[in-house]
Structure formats: C-alpha cells, structure tokens
C-alpha cells in the first residue's frame, strides 16, 4: 500500500465513533468494579473467599460455553444480535450483584456476566467490521484496543477516588455496580443499531446446512491454527506480563516505589493513545503478518529496557534508571499497536464473512487461556529468578511468540504464492483453450 492509498481518518465514520463511545462508557463501568469484586463478595458482603472464587469460576465456565455457542450463532443470526444480547447479559449480571447478600445470587450473577462476555467477544469483531469500510479495519481495531485500555484504567481511577474515605464502602460499591450495569445499556443499543452489510453470497452460505465452516474446518487451515496459537501466546508472554508480573518485578526485585510503578503503567496507557495517530500510516503500509511479528520484537526490546534499568543499578542516575523504565512502557505500547492493527484484520480475512463468529470465538477462547495461564507463569518465574533473570525470561517469552508469528508469516506467504501459481495456471489454460478454439 502506498502513502497515497492510506485512507483518511474520516473514513472510519460516525457509526464507528458512536460504537467506540459506547464501548468506552461500558469499559469505564467495568473498571469501576472489576478490581474490587473479590473484596466486595468475600469481605464486605461477608460471604467468604469460597463465594468469591465461585463467582469467578461461574463467570469463566459460562464465558467458555457462551463463546462456543455464540460463534456459530453470530454467523447465522448476525453479530449485532449476539453482541446486543451479550451486552444485555452484562447489564443484568452486574445489576444483580448490587443488591445480593447470599451465595446463590452471586453465582447466578457470575454466570450472567460470563455469558455476557462470551457472547460479546464472539461477536464484537463482526460488529466493528460492519461499522467501518474495509480500508479502515486496521485503524479501527487499534482504536478499539486503546478504548478498552483507557476505559478500564479511567474506571479504576474514578472508583479509587469515589471509595477513598467512603464511610459505607458496601453501599458505595453497590451503586458502582448499578452504574456498571447502566453503562452497558448504551452499548447494547449501539450494537443493535449497527446492522452488518451482508452480500447475497454470504446470506446464501448462512442458509446452507451447517451455516458455513465449522470450528474444526477453521483449525485445519494451518494459518488460522497458527493465528489462534499466536493469540494465546501473545496473551501469555505479553499482555498479562505487563499487567501482573512486571509491577511485582519492579516493586519487589528492583525497589521501585508504588508511585513509580503506577507511573510506568500509566505511561503505557498514555503511549497507546499518543502513538496510534503517529504510527497509523506506517502500520497500514506494513503487511499484516509482518506487523504481527513485529509486536513481540518490540516487546523483547521493551523487556531489554527493563533489563538495562537493572544493570544500570543504583550507581546510575535516577534519570537513566527511570528513563529506561518509561522507555519500556512506551516501546511495549508500540508492540501492542502492532498486534491490534494486524490480528483481527487477519482473522477476518482468513475466516471469511460466513465464519467470523466462529473465528472470533476461537480467538476469545485462546485469549482467555492465555490470560488465565500467563500470570501464574510470570509470577513463578520472578519467584525463582533474580531481577536480571526475570527480564531475560520475559524477553525469551517474546522470542517464542515471534517464532510463531514468523512461522505464520512464512505460511501465509507460501499460501499466497500457491494461490498466485494456481491463478496463473488457470489463466494459461484459459488462453490455450481460446487459442485452440480460434485455430479450429
């Protein structure tokens, strides 16, 4: 793609801005409550750690089942219906958690929230794709990633301010869950209003028995299988590490104060917002598989900045040490944008319109697997290694993700070359047939 071919920012349109505005409101609502749910159930409601654990188990199990069922349903009924239903389930689940005082309603609430997340993530790729032209896909999914991060972060800050010095924390938290439930309603309405534009061919494929490719069919395609594996690895070695492992590594192994830990995390979020418009055109010029492989390369460089801060030690000036930690946050954010601009456009292209829901469900399940296993792996590493060894191990994890993304790039390149050869062969046969007919 040339510079002249890059679409203008206005190409994303009013539909997309409306969707992102409602998504920002919903994720801000999630940020109000999510950090405090375990404390709210176990301590403030007095239901104990088993009830809190049961909530999250019910949520995880329901999310897994809903994603598996929601993928084919989104392909047949349309992603807007499934997405709106998911947002409605989130509103019901969070709304139920506000007045509860017993274990059973807590478990039902967790199941509702899980269903909401499962259906939502099985459909949101199709919903976003329906809101933008094809030329705007890569920018759209980068913006969606930023909106998720900003919403959760801002919601957590607002909740911290609201709860600071609260005289009745239980009552205050109940109202935060009500606010979270209310924040999902505009998202439900916006998703329902954004009807996907389907071709006659896609409608015909959906009407056929089976409703398009199955999960097994999708995973038999080597590029799609590698893409799903990459999704799980990116969650394990990248996103969960900056959220769970790196803050503990900074504080416990490097003596970084909590204030600076917060500053590094905030710098990562701000960098996402600042870098997206700066990198937008460069990202659009990169082939998607190259951009995807560049993500873990940048993460390895970011972890190298962290290693540099350790090696600099206390003898180096604070400017050098903390400058390297801020560089870590910024370079890591650049890797996140590489991922978000490439992963879902590849998923859309390789799944085909008739199987976007199933492909989205597979990506969601891979992500859930990664986010569940990533923090324990990272915490195990830093518990048994020094600060230097921990940063090296994190960089090694990024190298493993790069290996999968590199294999994906080569497989996709070989697949395109095979398609081109087959096209050239069919064209040659067609020309030969025309020549024979003319000679006859």
């Amino acid at each position: 793609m040339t510079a002249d071919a890059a679409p203008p920012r206005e190409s994303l349109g009013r539909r997309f801005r409306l969707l992102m505005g409602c998504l920002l409101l919903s994720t801000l609502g999630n940020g109000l409550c999510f950090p405090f749910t375990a404390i709210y159930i176990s301590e403030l409601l007095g239901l104990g750690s088993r009830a809190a654990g049961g909530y999250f188990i019910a949520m995880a199990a329901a999310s897994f089942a809903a994603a598996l069922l929601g993928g084919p349903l989104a392909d047949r009924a349309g992603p807007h219906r499934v997405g709106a239903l998911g947002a409605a389930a989130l509103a019901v689940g969070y709304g139920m958690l506000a007045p509860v005082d017993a274990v059973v309603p807590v478990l039902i609430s967790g199941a509702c929230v899980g269903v909401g997340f499962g259906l939502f993530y099985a459909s949101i790729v199709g919903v976003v794709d329906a809101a933008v032209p094809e030329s705007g896909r890569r920018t759209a999914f980068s913006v969606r990633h930023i909106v998720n991060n900003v919403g959760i972060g801002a919601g957590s800050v607002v909740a911290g301010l609201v709860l600071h010095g609260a005289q009745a924390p239980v009552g205050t938290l109940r109202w935060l869950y009500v606010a979270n439930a209310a924040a999902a309603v505009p998202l439900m309405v916006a998703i329902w209003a954004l009807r996907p534009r389907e071709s006659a061919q896609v409608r015909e494929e959906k009407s056929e028995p089976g409703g398009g490719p199955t999960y097994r069919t999708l995973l038999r395609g080597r590029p799609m299988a590698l893409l799903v594996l990459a999704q799980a690895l990116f969650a394990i070695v990248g996103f969960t590490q900056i959220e769970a492992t790196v803050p503990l590594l900074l504080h416990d192994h490097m003596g970084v104060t909590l204030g600076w830990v917060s500053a590094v995390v905030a710098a990562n979020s701000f960098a996402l917002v600042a870098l997206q418009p700066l990198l937008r055109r460069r990202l659009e010029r990169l082939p998607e598989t190259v951009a995807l492989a560049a993500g873990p390369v940048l993460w390895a460089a970011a972890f190298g900045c962290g290693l540099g801060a350790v090696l600099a030690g206390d003898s180096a000036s604070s400017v050098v040490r903390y400058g390297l930690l801020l560089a870590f946050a910024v370079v890591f954010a650049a890797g996140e944008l590489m991922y978000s601009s490439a992963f879902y456009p590849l998923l859309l292209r390789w799944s085909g319109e008739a199987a976007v829901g199933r492909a989205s469900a597979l990506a969601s399940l891979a992500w859930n697997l990664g986010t569940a296993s990533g923090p324990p792996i990272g915490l195990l590493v830093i518990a048994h290694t020094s600060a230097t060894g921990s940063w090296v191990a994190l960089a090694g994890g990024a190298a493993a993700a790069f290996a999968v993304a590199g294999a994906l790039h080569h497989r996709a390149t070989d697949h395109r070359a095979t398609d081109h050869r087959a096209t050239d062969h069919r064209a040659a046969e067609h020309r030969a047939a025309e020549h024979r007919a003319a000679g006859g």
Side-chain angles (χ1 to χ4, degrees):
M1 180 180 290
T2 65
D4 293 337
R9 294 181 187 178
E10 292 77 16
S11 64
L12 294 181
R14 185 169 53 189
R15 289 159 54 89
F16 178 74
R17 291 195 295 272
L18 172 64
L19 178 63
M20 288 300 102
C22 294
L23 180 61
L24 177 63
L25 182 62
S26 179
T27 54
L28 193 149
N30 291 340
L32 290 175
C33 302
F34 190 77
F36 310 107
T37 297
I39 299 172
Y40 173 67
I41 295 172
S42 63
E43 297 182 12
L44 300 182
L45 295 182
L47 298 178
S49 59
R50 287 188 178 181
Y55 172 88
F56 288 106
I57 291 172
M59 183 173 69
S63 178
F64 183 89
L68 283 178
L69 296 174
L73 184 60
D75 290 333
R76 290 195 302 268
H80 62 289
R81 292 185 175 89
V82 176
L85 183 60
L90 288 173
V92 171
Y94 285 123
M96 285 182 61
L97 201 56
V100 297
D101 57 4
V103 173
V104 173
V106 164
L107 299 181
I108 295 174
S109 169
C112 282
V113 171
V115 168
F117 279 124
L119 295 179
F120 179 79
Y121 286 113
S123 61
I124 188 59
V125 175
V127 171
V128 172
D129 188 49
V132 297
E134 185 174 353
S135 61
R137 279 178 177 174
R138 298 185 68 172
T139 299
F141 285 107
S142 294
V143 171
R144 180 210 160 201
H145 177 75
I146 293 170
V147 166
N148 278 332
N149 282 270
V150 171
I152 292 291
S156 299
V157 171
V158 171
L161 294 174
V162 169
L163 293 172
H164 181 68
Q167 297 300 315
V170 176
T172 305
L173 272 170
R174 290 189 193 278
W175 281 109
L176 290 182
Y177 283 104
V178 172
N180 192 4
V185 175
L187 181 62
M188 176 186 68
V189 175
I191 290 175
W192 181 258
L194 296 176
R195 306 298 175 92
R197 297 179 290 271
E198 296 177 351
S199 63
Q201 179 183 355
V202 172
R203 287 194 296 270
E204 182 179 348
E205 289 177 359
K206 289 182 177 182
S207 65
E208 293 175 355
T214 63
Y215 288 120
R216 181 178 297 181
T217 304
L218 287 172
L219 291 175
R220 279 177 179 170
R222 185 61 62 85
M224 179 62 75
L226 284 171
L227 190 63
V228 173
L229 175 60
Q231 174 82 325
L233 270 178
F234 282 16
I236 292 171
V237 307
F239 292 100
T240 58
Q241 300 311 320
I242 193 173
E243 294 171 358
T245 306
V246 169
L248 192 63
L249 172 59
L250 294 177
H251 184 261
D252 289 3
H253 286 352
M254 296 176 62
V256 176
T257 64
L258 290 177
W260 265 102
V261 171
S262 299
V264 170
V265 174
N268 174 257
S269 297
F270 289 134
L272 282 171
V273 178
L275 289 175
Q276 196 278 328
L278 296 176
L279 296 179
R280 175 176 175 266
R281 292 189 179 277
R282 292 180 176 86
L283 287 173
E284 289 169 349
R285 294 189 191 106
L286 283 177
E288 289 153 344
T289 52
V290 173
L292 194 67
V297 172
L298 287 169
W299 289 345
F303 294 138
C305 292
L307 176 62
V310 173
L311 297 178
D314 296 332
S315 60
S317 69
S318 298
V319 173
V320 172
R321 191 175 187 224
Y322 291 114
L324 285 169
L325 293 180
L326 292 176
F328 155 78
V330 173
V331 176
F332 195 95
E336 291 182 69
L337 290 174
M338 290 287 179
Y339 156 84
S340 61
S341 74
F343 180 83
Y344 287 105
L346 281 172
L347 189 79
L348 280 161
R349 178 144 49 84
W350 289 347
S351 66
E353 288 186 59
V356 171
R358 290 174 175 85
S360 300
L362 287 173
S364 175
L365 294 174
W367 181 264
N368 290 339
L369 174 64
T371 54
S373 57
I377 293 172
L379 297 178
L380 181 67
V381 168
I382 66 172
H384 293 86
T385 59
S386 64
T388 299
S390 297
W391 286 112
V392 171
L394 291 173
F402 170 74
V404 173
L408 177 65
H409 171 69
H410 289 301
R411 175 66 63 172
T413 302
D414 293 342
H415 184 68
R416 285 195 298 269
T418 300
D419 287 345
H420 288 321
R421 286 194 296 269
T423 300
D424 293 342
H425 180 69
R426 287 193 296 269
E429 287 183 338
H430 181 67
R431 287 193 299 269
E434 288 182 337
H435 179 72
R436 289 193 297 270

